[in-house]
Amino acid sequence: MTDSEHKSMQHKKRMQSVKEKVDQRIDDAQEERGLIIVITGNGKGKSTSGFGTVARAVGHGLNAAVVQFIKGTWACGERNLLENAGVSFAVMATGFTWNTQDKEQDIDAAQKVWQHSKELLKDDNIDVILLDELTYMLSFKYLDLDEVIDALKNRPINQHVIITGRACHRAIIELADTVSEVQSIKHAFDHGIKAQKGIDW
Ligand code: ATP
Ligand code: MG
């Protein structure tokens, strides 16, 4: 056997062993139920990941709803697309809290959109809910943590929930099934480049 034949055989053996392990794990993963997915961290890509999952679900004919807890001053490209595909959107009525500087008004707006979220979290016709930027509502204490945990725990068994935002509360991380932290290596904004349509909003 030549050296290259030997290497090729060794590679095949290693790949076979990897395949067996992966197949075993696929066979073992039999449980089917709704998931809580958290996308947190300081890097760019949290909301786009949430919207991407909503698009994926809608592509399979699932029913999805989006709740946006912090509305920016810009329109949202995903909304233009997904509303046409039957996804309901609820958006907090105020802008960024550092723009409004009116805490009572922000709390009121957060509570209103949370009441709507609670209805969605009871509705077993909704397969996927994106709670975009929910984490800030808990950091600012605009919403009651126990109430949020309770609503998440008691949702329909097959309903998926995606939660995005920086600095996710550890109690939500503990409750979640899948948690990803997006790390910022660099961002165009730090180099003086303004937010770009279709990329940042
Ligand atoms: P995206 O909506 O692009 O997925 P995100 O949800 O991860 O971003 P947010 O913290 O919600 O990030 O911020 C929304 C806006 O801020 C976006 O325009 C995004 O490009 C920008 N942004 C995200 N991360 C950073 C960062 N590390 N530095 C500067 N701007 C950022
Ligand atoms: Mg975001």
Side-chain angles (χ1 to χ4, degrees), residues 42-48 133 136 166 184 187 189-190 199-200:
N42 294 331
K44 169 173 165 56
K46 299 176 291 294
S47 295
T48 43
E133 322 295 353
Y136 303 99
R166 296 175 193 210
S184 185
H187 193 287
F189 184 69
D190 300 332
I199 299 296
D200 292 299

Side-chain angles (χ1 to χ4, degrees), residues 62-172:
L62 301 187
N63 285 325
V66 173
V67 182
Q68 290 180 293
F69 280 91
I70 293 188
K71 183 182 145 233
T73 41
W74 294 307
C76 157
E78 291 94 338
R79 182 174 186 172
N80 301 341
L81 185 78
L82 293 169
E83 256 184 350
N84 285 331
V87 177
S88 77
F89 271 68
V91 180
M92 210 169 114
T94 53
F96 285 108
T97 186
W98 47 92
N99 284 336
T100 61
Q101 292 164 8
D102 183 339
K103 195 172 172 191
E104 291 313 309
Q105 188 194 308
D106 282 357
I107 291 174
D108 193 49
Q111 284 292 341
K112 280 203 182 99
V113 89
W114 169 243
Q115 293 312 313
H116 174 72
S117 309
K118 279 207 300 193
E119 293 308 311
L120 294 172
L121 288 163
K122 285 181 204 153
D123 185 348
D124 59 10
N125 286 314
I126 307 287
D127 304 301
V128 179
I129 306 175
L130 169 59
L131 301 176
D132 191 35
E133 322 295 353
L134 174 75
T135 60
Y136 303 99
M137 301 302 106
L138 298 169
S139 313
F140 300 159
K141 301 200 169 12
Y142 288 2
L143 301 179
D144 180 58
L145 176 67
D146 291 337
E147 198 184 319
V148 172
I149 298 265
D150 206 49
L152 288 170
K153 276 188 178 163
N154 291 305
R155 75 192 193 284
I157 179 103
N158 288 318
Q159 189 180 71
H160 304 291
V161 181
I162 307 153
I163 294 168
T164 74
R166 296 175 193 210
C168 186
H169 195 287
R170 66 182 184 287
I172 303 278

